[in-house]
Amino acid sequence: MIRYLIKNNFKLMFRNTWSMVVMLIGPVLVIAVLSSAFSQMMKSYEGVDEFSVGYRMQEDAMEDNVIFESVKHAGKEAGIFFYEYPEGEVKDTMEKNGLAGFVEFTEDTYVVYKSADYEVEGITLEYFMNKVMNESMDAFLQIKGQENITLPVEELEFMPAVNARDYYGIVYIVYFCWCGMICATGVLSNEKKYGILRRFQVSNISETQNYFGKLIPITLTVAVGMAIATGITILLYDIHWGNPMLSLFIVFMMILAGAAFGMMIYNISGNMIITIIMVFTIVWFMGFFGGSFETYMFSSIPDTLKQLSPIYHGNRALVELSCMGESDYVASVVGYSLAITIICSMIAVLAGTIRKRGRV
């Protein structure tokens, strides 16, 4: 009997043309608009390999030249090349020689000049000078006078650059996965319109069978729609998905969790309009905390709030798989989605059973 329900509901969902159009066209259009609008912002996240900076030393600044030679050597290893310009205005010197920054040393301190045209390089230079000059100065003083000074070099873990198309091409597939309840409107509306629920009451169909008879076709319908939308965005915008099979599994788990979440709200409220409003509102907030509207790399939202959003875990896992090939968030998004699916399914079946008894 449950196979008949799944087959019937699956057909009804695909006949609901407008909801399928929304699930297909929605992600494509949103990805196109946002990837274009925020492409410049995402470029500022990209790192740089090498760049040149100028420097100038006033009298009595860095009396021990061995120390500064070590600073220059450390800069060279980090891709920062120092060139001395003893005369001229700093601004004119930077523009004339295409310098990304300039450092002016005095007896007690130093000043870092940054160019608006080299924003990332300026931040890198400022960080480098802060680490080398401020935090390492005590070590310099202790070994001052030695002929050779070796600065400690540490390899830091970092996330490679991700462009706007890849980022938004991934996170909005995730976002629309959680809006899959819209595909169930045709089935649930027909139940109300033709009194199908009353017919179920006198049949031998359990509430669990009735629930899975809807959950499975909703999940499959949304999965088909997202697969087509993903294929379109890959062809149009060259979106890069890392580890396709693992990414596909993660997306499917979130679709399943989103469908279970929507069915829970529907079985509690018993009203399709209320369900759609609540689902879209809650998903919007999860997306707001999860990096759907503002990239999670730049977001100032506290990390504790981000961690509460299943969309955040999905976005982190899929974006990191895309640019790094691995992610520590794979386990958390799968576990989070599985927990939501189980808990929401139990509540949905319980709520449906209570409502069914109330009608008898």
Side-chain angles (χ1 to χ4, degrees), residues 240-298:
H240 298 93
W241 290 77
N243 198 329
M245 295 306 298
L246 182 56
S247 296
L248 179 66
F249 177 69
I250 292 172
V251 171
F252 180 80
M253 288 300 298
M254 286 189 289
I255 292 173
L256 183 61
F261 176 72
M263 283 300 301
M264 179 192 70
I265 294 180
Y266 177 75
N267 280 8
I268 292 174
S269 67
N271 187 293
M272 194 65 219
I273 296 177
I274 293 176
T275 299
I276 294 297
I277 293 174
M278 289 187 66
V279 167
F280 273 77
T281 301
I282 294 172
V283 170
W284 188 93
F285 276 102
M286 290 194 302
F288 179 78
F289 295 129
S292 297
F293 313 118
E294 180 184 22
T295 57
Y296 63 77
M297 289 87 75
F298 299 138

Short mmCIF file of all heavy atoms in Angstrom, two decimals, residues 240-298:
data_model
loop_
_atom_site.label_atom_id
_atom_site.label_comp_id
_atom_site.label_asym_id
_atom_site.label_seq_id
_atom_site.Cartn_x
_atom_site.Cartn_y
_atom_site.Cartn_z
N HIS A 240 32.35 24.68 -9.20
CA HIS A 240 33.21 23.54 -8.87
C HIS A 240 32.73 22.89 -7.56
O HIS A 240 32.72 23.53 -6.51
CB HIS A 240 34.66 24.00 -8.71
CG HIS A 240 35.25 24.58 -9.96
ND1 HIS A 240 35.22 25.93 -10.24
CD2 HIS A 240 35.86 23.98 -11.01
CE1 HIS A 240 35.79 26.15 -11.40
NE2 HIS A 240 36.20 24.99 -11.90
N TRP A 241 32.35 21.63 -7.66
CA TRP A 241 31.96 20.85 -6.49
C TRP A 241 33.08 19.87 -6.18
O TRP A 241 33.49 19.09 -7.02
CB TRP A 241 30.66 20.09 -6.75
CG TRP A 241 29.45 20.97 -6.83
CD1 TRP A 241 29.07 21.75 -7.88
CD2 TRP A 241 28.47 21.16 -5.81
NE1 TRP A 241 27.91 22.42 -7.59
CE2 TRP A 241 27.51 22.07 -6.33
CE3 TRP A 241 28.29 20.65 -4.53
CZ2 TRP A 241 26.41 22.48 -5.59
CZ3 TRP A 241 27.19 21.05 -3.80
CH2 TRP A 241 26.26 21.95 -4.32
N GLY A 242 33.57 19.89 -4.96
CA GLY A 242 34.63 18.97 -4.58
C GLY A 242 34.06 17.63 -4.14
O GLY A 242 33.00 17.58 -3.50
N ASN A 243 34.73 16.53 -4.49
CA ASN A 243 34.29 15.19 -4.12
C ASN A 243 32.80 15.00 -4.43
O ASN A 243 31.96 14.97 -3.52
CB ASN A 243 34.55 14.93 -2.63
CG ASN A 243 34.53 13.45 -2.29
OD1 ASN A 243 33.82 12.67 -2.90
ND2 ASN A 243 35.30 13.07 -1.28
N PRO A 244 32.43 14.86 -5.69
CA PRO A 244 31.02 14.85 -6.12
C PRO A 244 30.14 13.86 -5.36
O PRO A 244 29.01 14.22 -4.98
CB PRO A 244 31.11 14.49 -7.61
CG PRO A 244 32.46 14.95 -8.03
CD PRO A 244 33.35 14.73 -6.84
N MET A 245 30.60 12.65 -5.13
CA MET A 245 29.77 11.65 -4.46
C MET A 245 29.48 12.04 -3.02
O MET A 245 28.34 11.92 -2.55
CB MET A 245 30.45 10.28 -4.52
CG MET A 245 30.58 9.71 -5.93
SD MET A 245 29.00 9.66 -6.83
CE MET A 245 28.07 8.53 -5.79
N LEU A 246 30.50 12.52 -2.31
CA LEU A 246 30.30 12.93 -0.92
C LEU A 246 29.42 14.18 -0.86
O LEU A 246 28.53 14.29 0.00
CB LEU A 246 31.65 13.20 -0.25
CG LEU A 246 31.62 13.60 1.22
CD1 LEU A 246 30.88 12.57 2.05
CD2 LEU A 246 33.04 13.80 1.75
N SER A 247 29.64 15.11 -1.78
CA SER A 247 28.80 16.32 -1.83
C SER A 247 27.35 15.95 -2.13
O SER A 247 26.42 16.53 -1.55
CB SER A 247 29.34 17.28 -2.89
OG SER A 247 30.63 17.73 -2.57
N LEU A 248 27.15 15.02 -3.04
CA LEU A 248 25.80 14.56 -3.38
C LEU A 248 25.11 13.95 -2.17
O LEU A 248 23.93 14.21 -1.91
CB LEU A 248 25.88 13.55 -4.52
CG LEU A 248 24.55 12.94 -5.01
CD1 LEU A 248 23.68 14.03 -5.65
CD2 LEU A 248 24.81 11.82 -6.01
N PHE A 249 25.85 13.17 -1.40
CA PHE A 249 25.29 12.55 -0.20
C PHE A 249 24.90 13.60 0.84
O PHE A 249 23.84 13.51 1.46
CB PHE A 249 26.31 11.57 0.39
CG PHE A 249 25.86 10.94 1.68
CD1 PHE A 249 24.82 10.02 1.71
CD2 PHE A 249 26.49 11.27 2.88
CE1 PHE A 249 24.41 9.44 2.90
CE2 PHE A 249 26.08 10.70 4.08
CZ PHE A 249 25.04 9.78 4.09
N ILE A 250 25.76 14.60 1.02
CA ILE A 250 25.47 15.66 1.99
C ILE A 250 24.22 16.44 1.58
O ILE A 250 23.33 16.72 2.41
CB ILE A 250 26.68 16.61 2.11
CG1 ILE A 250 27.85 15.90 2.76
CG2 ILE A 250 26.30 17.87 2.90
CD1 ILE A 250 29.14 16.70 2.74
N VAL A 251 24.12 16.78 0.30
CA VAL A 251 22.95 17.51 -0.19
C VAL A 251 21.68 16.68 0.01
O VAL A 251 20.65 17.18 0.44
CB VAL A 251 23.12 17.90 -1.67
CG1 VAL A 251 21.81 18.45 -2.24
CG2 VAL A 251 24.23 18.93 -1.83
N PHE A 252 21.76 15.39 -0.29
CA PHE A 252 20.59 14.51 -0.13
C PHE A 252 20.16 14.44 1.33
O PHE A 252 18.97 14.47 1.64
CB PHE A 252 20.90 13.11 -0.65
CG PHE A 252 19.74 12.16 -0.52
CD1 PHE A 252 18.71 12.18 -1.44
CD2 PHE A 252 19.68 11.26 0.54
CE1 PHE A 252 17.63 11.31 -1.32
CE2 PHE A 252 18.60 10.39 0.67
CZ PHE A 252 17.58 10.41 -0.26
N MET A 253 21.12 14.35 2.26
CA MET A 253 20.78 14.29 3.68
C MET A 253 20.09 15.57 4.14
O MET A 253 19.17 15.52 4.96
CB MET A 253 22.05 14.06 4.50
CG MET A 253 22.63 12.66 4.38
SD MET A 253 21.49 11.37 4.93
CE MET A 253 21.25 11.80 6.65
N MET A 254 20.52 16.72 3.59
CA MET A 254 19.87 17.98 3.96
C MET A 254 18.47 18.08 3.34
O MET A 254 17.56 18.65 3.95
CB MET A 254 20.75 19.16 3.55
CG MET A 254 21.95 19.33 4.46
SD MET A 254 22.85 20.86 4.17
CE MET A 254 23.57 20.50 2.58
N ILE A 255 18.29 17.55 2.14
CA ILE A 255 16.96 17.52 1.54
C ILE A 255 16.02 16.68 2.40
O ILE A 255 14.87 17.07 2.66
CB ILE A 255 17.03 16.95 0.10
CG1 ILE A 255 17.76 17.92 -0.82
CG2 ILE A 255 15.63 16.67 -0.43
CD1 ILE A 255 18.02 17.36 -2.21
N LEU A 256 16.50 15.53 2.85
CA LEU A 256 15.71 14.64 3.71
C LEU A 256 15.36 15.34 5.01
O LEU A 256 14.20 15.27 5.48
CB LEU A 256 16.50 13.36 3.98
CG LEU A 256 15.81 12.28 4.80
CD1 LEU A 256 14.54 11.80 4.11
CD2 LEU A 256 16.77 11.11 5.03
N ALA A 257 16.33 16.02 5.61
CA ALA A 257 16.08 16.73 6.87
C ALA A 257 15.08 17.86 6.66
O ALA A 257 14.18 18.07 7.49
CB ALA A 257 17.39 17.27 7.43
N GLY A 258 15.22 18.59 5.54
CA GLY A 258 14.30 19.68 5.25
C GLY A 258 12.88 19.20 5.04
O GLY A 258 11.91 19.83 5.49
N ALA A 259 12.74 18.06 4.36
CA ALA A 259 11.40 17.49 4.12
C ALA A 259 10.77 17.03 5.43
O ALA A 259 9.57 17.26 5.68
CB ALA A 259 11.51 16.32 3.15
N ALA A 260 11.56 16.37 6.30
CA ALA A 260 11.04 15.92 7.59
C ALA A 260 10.65 17.11 8.47
O ALA A 260 9.61 17.08 9.16
CB ALA A 260 12.10 15.07 8.29
N PHE A 261 11.45 18.16 8.42
CA PHE A 261 11.16 19.37 9.20
C PHE A 261 9.84 20.00 8.73
O PHE A 261 8.99 20.38 9.54
CB PHE A 261 12.31 20.35 9.05
CG PHE A 261 12.08 21.67 9.71
CD1 PHE A 261 12.11 21.79 11.09
CD2 PHE A 261 11.84 22.82 8.96
CE1 PHE A 261 11.90 23.01 11.71
CE2 PHE A 261 11.63 24.04 9.56
CZ PHE A 261 11.66 24.13 10.94
N GLY A 262 9.66 20.09 7.41
CA GLY A 262 8.42 20.66 6.87
C GLY A 262 7.21 19.82 7.19
O GLY A 262 6.14 20.36 7.53
N MET A 263 7.33 18.50 7.09
CA MET A 263 6.21 17.62 7.41
C MET A 263 5.85 17.70 8.89
O MET A 263 4.67 17.59 9.26
CB MET A 263 6.57 16.18 7.04
CG MET A 263 6.49 15.88 5.55
SD MET A 263 4.83 16.14 4.87
CE MET A 263 3.87 14.99 5.88
N MET A 264 6.83 17.89 9.74
CA MET A 264 6.53 18.04 11.17
C MET A 264 5.67 19.28 11.41
O MET A 264 4.65 19.21 12.13
CB MET A 264 7.85 18.15 11.96
CG MET A 264 7.64 18.34 13.45
SD MET A 264 9.16 18.81 14.33
CE MET A 264 9.40 20.50 13.71
N ILE A 265 6.06 20.38 10.81
CA ILE A 265 5.28 21.61 10.99
C ILE A 265 3.88 21.45 10.43
O ILE A 265 2.89 21.90 11.03
CB ILE A 265 6.01 22.80 10.33
CG1 ILE A 265 7.33 23.08 11.06
CG2 ILE A 265 5.13 24.05 10.33
CD1 ILE A 265 8.12 24.22 10.49
N TYR A 266 3.76 20.79 9.26
CA TYR A 266 2.44 20.60 8.66
C TYR A 266 1.55 19.72 9.54
O TYR A 266 0.37 20.02 9.75
CB TYR A 266 2.57 19.99 7.28
CG TYR A 266 1.22 19.71 6.64
CD1 TYR A 266 0.46 20.75 6.12
CD2 TYR A 266 0.71 18.42 6.59
CE1 TYR A 266 -0.80 20.52 5.57
CE2 TYR A 266 -0.53 18.16 6.03
CZ TYR A 266 -1.29 19.22 5.52
OH TYR A 266 -2.52 18.98 4.97
N ASN A 267 2.09 18.62 10.06
CA ASN A 267 1.28 17.72 10.89
C ASN A 267 0.88 18.37 12.21
O ASN A 267 -0.14 18.00 12.80
CB ASN A 267 2.04 16.42 11.16
CG ASN A 267 1.96 15.46 9.99
OD1 ASN A 267 1.47 15.82 8.92
ND2 ASN A 267 2.45 14.25 10.17
N ILE A 268 1.67 19.32 12.68
CA ILE A 268 1.32 20.04 13.91
C ILE A 268 0.26 21.11 13.62
O ILE A 268 -0.73 21.24 14.34
CB ILE A 268 2.57 20.68 14.54
CG1 ILE A 268 3.51 19.60 15.07
CG2 ILE A 268 2.17 21.63 15.68
CD1 ILE A 268 4.84 20.12 15.57
N SER A 269 0.46 21.88 12.55
CA SER A 269 -0.46 22.99 12.25
C SER A 269 -1.70 22.54 11.49
O SER A 269 -2.79 23.10 11.68
CB SER A 269 0.27 24.06 11.43
OG SER A 269 0.62 23.56 10.15
N GLY A 270 -1.54 21.57 10.59
CA GLY A 270 -2.67 21.11 9.77
C GLY A 270 -3.09 22.12 8.73
O GLY A 270 -4.15 21.98 8.12
N ASN A 271 -2.26 23.11 8.49
CA ASN A 271 -2.59 24.17 7.53
C ASN A 271 -1.39 24.42 6.62
O ASN A 271 -0.29 24.70 7.10
CB ASN A 271 -2.97 25.46 8.29
CG ASN A 271 -3.47 26.54 7.37
OD1 ASN A 271 -2.73 27.08 6.55
ND2 ASN A 271 -4.75 26.88 7.51
N MET A 272 -1.63 24.33 5.29
CA MET A 272 -0.53 24.46 4.34
C MET A 272 0.04 25.87 4.32
O MET A 272 1.26 26.05 4.21
CB MET A 272 -1.02 24.07 2.94
CG MET A 272 0.09 23.83 1.95
SD MET A 272 1.10 22.41 2.42
CE MET A 272 2.73 23.01 1.99
N ILE A 273 -0.80 26.88 4.42
CA ILE A 273 -0.32 28.27 4.37
C ILE A 273 0.57 28.57 5.57
O ILE A 273 1.65 29.15 5.45
CB ILE A 273 -1.50 29.25 4.32
CG1 ILE A 273 -2.30 29.05 3.03
CG2 ILE A 273 -1.02 30.70 4.43
CD1 ILE A 273 -3.53 29.91 2.92
N ILE A 274 0.10 28.15 6.76
CA ILE A 274 0.90 28.35 7.98
C ILE A 274 2.24 27.61 7.86
O ILE A 274 3.29 28.12 8.25
CB ILE A 274 0.13 27.87 9.22
CG1 ILE A 274 -1.09 28.77 9.45
CG2 ILE A 274 1.04 27.87 10.45
CD1 ILE A 274 -1.97 28.31 10.59
N THR A 275 2.19 26.40 7.30
CA THR A 275 3.40 25.60 7.14
C THR A 275 4.42 26.31 6.25
O THR A 275 5.60 26.40 6.60
CB THR A 275 3.05 24.23 6.54
OG1 THR A 275 2.16 23.54 7.41
CG2 THR A 275 4.32 23.40 6.34
N ILE A 276 3.97 26.79 5.10
CA ILE A 276 4.87 27.47 4.16
C ILE A 276 5.49 28.71 4.81
O ILE A 276 6.70 28.95 4.70
CB ILE A 276 4.15 27.85 2.87
CG1 ILE A 276 3.71 26.59 2.10
CG2 ILE A 276 5.03 28.73 1.99
CD1 ILE A 276 4.86 25.73 1.64
N ILE A 277 4.67 29.50 5.50
CA ILE A 277 5.16 30.72 6.14
C ILE A 277 6.20 30.38 7.21
O ILE A 277 7.28 30.99 7.27
CB ILE A 277 4.00 31.52 6.76
CG1 ILE A 277 3.09 32.07 5.66
CG2 ILE A 277 4.54 32.67 7.62
CD1 ILE A 277 1.84 32.75 6.18
N MET A 278 5.90 29.39 8.05
CA MET A 278 6.82 29.02 9.13
C MET A 278 8.11 28.43 8.58
O MET A 278 9.20 28.76 9.06
CB MET A 278 6.13 28.03 10.08
CG MET A 278 5.04 28.63 10.91
SD MET A 278 4.40 27.48 12.17
CE MET A 278 5.84 27.29 13.22
N VAL A 279 8.00 27.55 7.58
CA VAL A 279 9.19 26.94 7.01
C VAL A 279 10.10 27.99 6.40
O VAL A 279 11.32 28.02 6.65
CB VAL A 279 8.81 25.88 5.95
CG1 VAL A 279 10.04 25.47 5.14
CG2 VAL A 279 8.20 24.65 6.62
N PHE A 280 9.53 28.90 5.59
CA PHE A 280 10.36 29.91 4.93
C PHE A 280 10.97 30.87 5.95
O PHE A 280 12.10 31.33 5.77
CB PHE A 280 9.52 30.68 3.91
CG PHE A 280 9.49 30.03 2.56
CD1 PHE A 280 8.69 28.94 2.34
CD2 PHE A 280 10.27 30.49 1.51
CE1 PHE A 280 8.66 28.30 1.10
CE2 PHE A 280 10.25 29.88 0.27
CZ PHE A 280 9.44 28.78 0.07
N THR A 281 10.23 31.19 7.01
CA THR A 281 10.75 32.09 8.04
C THR A 281 11.92 31.46 8.79
O THR A 281 12.98 32.08 8.96
CB THR A 281 9.66 32.47 9.05
OG1 THR A 281 8.56 33.10 8.35
CG2 THR A 281 10.20 33.43 10.10
N ILE A 282 11.75 30.22 9.22
CA ILE A 282 12.80 29.53 9.97
C ILE A 282 14.02 29.28 9.09
O ILE A 282 15.17 29.48 9.52
CB ILE A 282 12.27 28.21 10.55
CG1 ILE A 282 11.18 28.51 11.60
CG2 ILE A 282 13.40 27.39 11.18
CD1 ILE A 282 10.45 27.29 12.10
N VAL A 283 13.78 28.88 7.84
CA VAL A 283 14.90 28.64 6.91
C VAL A 283 15.64 29.95 6.63
O VAL A 283 16.87 29.96 6.51
CB VAL A 283 14.40 28.00 5.60
CG1 VAL A 283 15.49 27.98 4.54
CG2 VAL A 283 13.92 26.58 5.86
N TRP A 284 14.91 31.06 6.56
CA TRP A 284 15.58 32.35 6.33
C TRP A 284 16.53 32.66 7.48
O TRP A 284 17.68 33.07 7.24
CB TRP A 284 14.55 33.47 6.22
CG TRP A 284 15.17 34.77 5.81
CD1 TRP A 284 15.31 35.27 4.56
CD2 TRP A 284 15.75 35.76 6.69
NE1 TRP A 284 15.95 36.48 4.58
CE2 TRP A 284 16.23 36.81 5.87
CE3 TRP A 284 15.89 35.84 8.07
CZ2 TRP A 284 16.86 37.94 6.41
CZ3 TRP A 284 16.53 36.96 8.61
CH2 TRP A 284 16.99 38.00 7.78
N PHE A 285 16.09 32.45 8.72
CA PHE A 285 16.95 32.72 9.86
C PHE A 285 18.14 31.76 9.89
O PHE A 285 19.26 32.15 10.21
CB PHE A 285 16.17 32.62 11.17
CG PHE A 285 15.45 33.89 11.53
CD1 PHE A 285 14.09 34.02 11.31
CD2 PHE A 285 16.13 34.98 12.06
CE1 PHE A 285 13.42 35.19 11.62
CE2 PHE A 285 15.48 36.16 12.38
CZ PHE A 285 14.11 36.26 12.16
N MET A 286 17.90 30.48 9.56
CA MET A 286 19.01 29.53 9.51
C MET A 286 20.01 29.93 8.43
O MET A 286 21.22 29.79 8.60
CB MET A 286 18.49 28.12 9.25
CG MET A 286 17.73 27.52 10.41
SD MET A 286 17.47 25.71 10.26
CE MET A 286 16.57 25.60 8.70
N GLY A 287 19.50 30.44 7.31
CA GLY A 287 20.39 30.91 6.25
C GLY A 287 21.12 32.18 6.63
O GLY A 287 22.29 32.37 6.28
N PHE A 288 20.45 33.05 7.40
CA PHE A 288 21.08 34.30 7.85
C PHE A 288 22.27 34.00 8.75
O PHE A 288 23.34 34.60 8.62
CB PHE A 288 20.05 35.15 8.60
CG PHE A 288 20.60 36.44 9.12
CD1 PHE A 288 20.78 37.52 8.28
CD2 PHE A 288 20.93 36.59 10.46
CE1 PHE A 288 21.30 38.72 8.76
CE2 PHE A 288 21.44 37.77 10.95
CZ PHE A 288 21.63 38.85 10.10
N PHE A 289 22.10 33.06 9.68
CA PHE A 289 23.20 32.68 10.56
C PHE A 289 24.19 31.77 9.85
O PHE A 289 25.35 31.68 10.26
CB PHE A 289 22.67 31.98 11.81
CG PHE A 289 21.84 32.86 12.70
CD1 PHE A 289 20.59 32.45 13.13
CD2 PHE A 289 22.30 34.09 13.09
CE1 PHE A 289 19.81 33.26 13.94
CE2 PHE A 289 21.54 34.93 13.92
CZ PHE A 289 20.29 34.50 14.33
N GLY A 290 23.75 31.08 8.80
CA GLY A 290 24.56 30.06 8.17
C GLY A 290 25.37 30.49 6.98
O GLY A 290 26.03 29.67 6.35
N GLY A 291 25.33 31.77 6.61
CA GLY A 291 26.16 32.26 5.52
C GLY A 291 25.53 32.26 4.15
O GLY A 291 26.23 32.35 3.14
N SER A 292 24.19 32.17 4.08
CA SER A 292 23.52 32.18 2.78
C SER A 292 23.50 33.58 2.17
O SER A 292 23.53 33.71 0.94
CB SER A 292 22.08 31.65 2.91
OG SER A 292 22.09 30.31 3.32
N PHE A 293 23.41 34.58 2.99
CA PHE A 293 23.30 35.95 2.49
C PHE A 293 24.60 36.73 2.64
O PHE A 293 24.92 37.59 1.84
CB PHE A 293 22.17 36.68 3.23
CG PHE A 293 20.91 35.86 3.32
CD1 PHE A 293 20.40 35.48 4.54
CD2 PHE A 293 20.25 35.45 2.17
CE1 PHE A 293 19.24 34.71 4.62
CE2 PHE A 293 19.11 34.68 2.24
CZ PHE A 293 18.60 34.31 3.47
N GLU A 294 25.33 36.44 3.70
CA GLU A 294 26.66 37.02 3.91
C GLU A 294 27.64 35.87 4.09
O GLU A 294 27.39 34.98 4.91
CB GLU A 294 26.68 37.92 5.15
CG GLU A 294 28.02 38.56 5.41
CD GLU A 294 28.03 39.37 6.70
OE1 GLU A 294 27.18 39.10 7.57
OE2 GLU A 294 28.90 40.24 6.84
N THR A 295 28.70 35.84 3.32
CA THR A 295 29.62 34.71 3.39
C THR A 295 30.10 34.49 4.82
O THR A 295 30.45 35.44 5.52
CB THR A 295 30.84 34.96 2.49
OG1 THR A 295 31.48 36.16 2.88
CG2 THR A 295 30.41 35.07 1.04
N TYR A 296 30.11 33.24 5.24
CA TYR A 296 30.47 32.95 6.63
C TYR A 296 31.91 33.33 6.94
O TYR A 296 32.28 33.54 8.09
CB TYR A 296 30.20 31.48 6.97
CG TYR A 296 31.02 30.47 6.18
CD1 TYR A 296 32.35 30.23 6.50
CD2 TYR A 296 30.45 29.75 5.14
CE1 TYR A 296 33.10 29.31 5.79
CE2 TYR A 296 31.20 28.82 4.42
CZ TYR A 296 32.52 28.60 4.76
OH TYR A 296 33.26 27.69 4.06
N MET A 297 32.78 33.47 5.88
CA MET A 297 34.17 33.89 6.14
C MET A 297 34.24 35.33 6.64
O MET A 297 35.10 35.68 7.42
CB MET A 297 34.99 33.78 4.85
CG MET A 297 35.27 32.35 4.41
SD MET A 297 33.96 31.69 3.38
CE MET A 297 34.27 32.54 1.84
N PHE A 298 33.30 36.17 6.19
CA PHE A 298 33.32 37.59 6.55
C PHE A 298 32.28 37.94 7.62
O PHE A 298 32.23 39.06 8.09
CB PHE A 298 33.04 38.45 5.32
CG PHE A 298 34.05 38.28 4.22
CD1 PHE A 298 33.66 38.20 2.89
CD2 PHE A 298 35.40 38.18 4.50
CE1 PHE A 298 34.59 38.04 1.88
CE2 PHE A 298 36.34 38.01 3.51
CZ PHE A 298 35.94 37.95 2.19
#
